[in-house]
Amino acid sequence: MSAEASLQNIKLPTPGTFNGKSPNDYHIFEAFSKKLKAFLMSQDIQFKRLMTAAETSTTPVGIPTADADIKKSHELQALLTLLCTDDALRLVSRDDDIDENGFESWRRLFQRYAPQKRLQHFGQMQQILAWQFREGSLEQDLIDYNLEIQSYLKLAR
C-alpha cells in the first residue's frame, strides 16, 4: 500500500492524523474513522468487514488466520502508527513488541474514542429539540432539520 491510495485514476490523500487528546470529542474520531476506512476500502473492500468485526468485538482481537487478512492487519497497524500521535499512538503501539495486529489496535482506538451510542443519541436529540429555524433560510433549515431527524432515527435502530 502506498502513502496515497488510487481509485481508478484519482489519487486519494491519506487521512489526517489523530492525536487522541480529547476522548470526549467524538466528532474528531468519527471523521478520522470515516476517512481512514474510505482510504483503506479504496485499496481493498475487505477492510470494511475486518474493521467492523474488530469494532464490535468485546474481547481482544486475535491475529487473523488467512494470509490476506494477516497482510491487511500489518498494513492497518503501519498506517495507524503513521497517522496517530500522542495518546492515540501510545494506545496503538501498546503491544508493538508482541505482534503487529492492526485490527486489535483499531478495536482499542474505537473502544476508547468512538462515541458511545447512548451519548451520541442523547446529544442528537438535544440538538433536534433546540433547533433554530431562521427566517431567511427556512426551506434549507427544514431540509437540514429533516436530515437530522433521519440521522437520529437511524442511530436509534
Side-chain angles (χ1 to χ4, degrees):
M1 182 170 20
S2 66
E4 284 185 334
S6 177
L7 186 59
Q8 295 191 3
N9 292 330
I10 302 170
K11 294 218 178 218
L12 302 174
T14 55
T17 60
F18 176 69
N19 63 27
K21 287 188 173 185
S22 304
N24 296 326
D25 193 356
Y26 65 86
H27 293 297
I28 295 170
F29 180 77
E30 189 172 38
F32 173 76
S33 173
K34 285 181 181 182
K35 289 178 181 181
L36 178 64
K37 287 178 185 178
F39 179 80
L40 289 168
M41 287 171 29
S42 72
Q43 300 295 303
D44 189 331
I45 192 70
Q46 293 304 315
F47 273 107
K48 180 177 182 177
R49 172 183 60 83
L50 294 164
M51 291 174 80
T52 300
E55 291 167 6
T56 58
S57 179
T58 56
T59 59
V61 176
I63 295 192
T65 54
D67 287 342
D69 293 348
I70 292 170
K71 184 175 188 254
K72 287 176 188 59
S73 176
H74 291 302
E75 289 173 348
L76 178 58
Q77 182 67 27
L79 195 55
L80 289 173
T81 301
L82 291 170
L83 296 177
C84 291
T85 63
D86 302 318
D87 294 349
L89 179 59
R90 281 189 284 284
L91 191 60
V92 165
S93 59
R94 187 173 78 184
D95 297 328
D96 209 23
D97 57 330
I98 299 171
D99 289 311
E100 291 191 0
N101 185 351
F103 297 112
E104 172 56 15
S105 294
W106 179 248
R107 184 192 72 83
R108 288 193 307 251
L109 275 174
F110 192 85
Q111 186 178 49
R112 167 85 188 239
Y113 296 106
Q116 299 295 330
K117 199 169 191 176
R118 185 180 63 227
L119 292 175
Q120 186 178 5
H121 193 71
F122 180 72
Q124 219 171 1
M125 174 56 84
Q126 284 183 317
Q127 189 173 358
I128 289 169
L129 292 173
W131 198 271
Q132 297 291 315
F133 293 97
R134 298 165 293 173
E135 198 172 313
S137 60
L138 182 60
E139 185 176 349
Q140 184 60 48
D141 287 349
L142 283 170
I143 291 169
D144 293 343
Y145 183 70
N146 187 40
L147 288 172
E148 191 67 30
I149 290 172
Q150 294 304 316
S151 173
Y152 173 80
L153 293 174
K154 191 163 125 183
L155 183 67
R157 292 181 192 148

